[in-house]
Amino acid sequence: MKLREEFPEFPRRLQWINGQVTKEQIIGDVPVLIQFWSVSCNQCKSTMAYLHKWKGLYGERFKIISIHMPRTTEDANDYLVCQTAMQMNMTNPICLDHELVVTKMFQNRIVPAYYLFDKKGLLRHYQSGESGMQMLERRLILLMNEQKI
């Protein structure tokens, strides 16, 4: 995805943990952080502490939607994903993108990866890897404070 592109619609046939969401439910009131992760990704697990911290600090001022992108065939085990999500205290909606449908829509190639959308549903920031979490937080704060016009 390119900056300023519109948030895509999730196909309805996808499996979800913690509740399925639609574009209409996601976009509008607060910024949305899309997190691509995988159960076999140690960097994904280490950056989860940042997301928990931000949820504690900023509460309902932003939404997190997680996309589970398997890196191996073993990663596509629904039970393993559910167990890992529970262990990491992930309560946000998690899309099980085991056929890489959403991954291809976002043109994503790596985990962890973060796509930050503004209140209008436009992509405003992208980053991958575990470095730069402070930059991601600064961008999130800017979008939370931005007035919707």
Side-chain angles (χ1 to χ4, degrees), residues 13-76:
R13 69 180 190 274
L14 298 172
Q15 288 184 291
W16 291 81
I17 301 171
N18 301 331
Q20 183 171 353
V21 293
T22 64
K23 180 179 177 178
E24 291 77 30
Q25 294 170 318
I26 296 170
I27 302 303
D29 298 326
V30 296
V32 177
L33 178 63
I34 302 293
Q35 168 209 25
F36 281 84
W37 71 289
S38 185
V39 293
S40 64
C41 171
N42 289 327
Q43 290 179 342
C44 298
K45 293 172 184 172
S46 66
T47 59
M48 192 60 64
Y50 288 98
L51 302 183
H52 289 309
K53 176 185 168 192
W54 299 343
K55 264 313 196 184
L57 286 172
Y58 309 121
E60 301 300 313
R61 294 184 60 205
F62 79 105
K63 295 177 185 173
I64 299 174
I65 308 296
S66 297
I67 311 297
H68 182 260
M69 179 184 136
R71 300 186 309 166
T72 66
T73 54
E74 291 81 25
D75 287 353

Side-chain angles (χ1 to χ4, degrees), residues 3 5 10 12 16 19 28 44 48 51 54 57 61 68 72 85 94-95 101 104 108 112 121 135:
L3 289 179
E5 269 190 59
F10 289 125
R12 296 207 184 270
W16 291 81
C44 298
M48 192 60 64
L51 302 183
W54 299 343
L57 286 172
R61 294 184 60 205
H68 182 260
T72 66
I94 302 169
C95 173
V101 173
K104 289 174 185 170
N108 189 58
M135 171 63 78

Side-chain angles (χ1 to χ4, degrees), residues 128-144:
S128 60
E130 67 180 325
S131 63
M133 295 304 283
Q134 288 82 12
M135 171 63 78
L136 181 59
E137 182 180 20
R138 285 194 297 271
R139 299 291 174 135
L140 176 61
I141 291 168
L142 285 172
L143 292 182
M144 287 187 299

Side-chain angles (χ1 to χ4, degrees), residues 78-122:
D78 292 352
Y79 179 77
L80 179 61
V81 176
C82 289
Q83 288 299 107
T84 304
M86 281 179 32
Q87 290 169 356
M88 295 193 314
N89 198 27
M90 295 174 74
T91 58
N92 55 288
I94 302 169
C95 173
L96 301 178
D97 193 28
H98 297 171
E99 295 177 19
L100 304 178
V101 173
V102 177
T103 300
K104 289 174 185 170
M105 289 169 51
F106 277 77
Q107 301 167 353
N108 189 58
R109 295 184 178 163
I110 191 170
V111 291
Y114 303 92
Y115 294 78
L116 185 56
F117 290 85
D118 64 18
K119 296 171 188 175
K120 294 183 254 181
L122 301 177

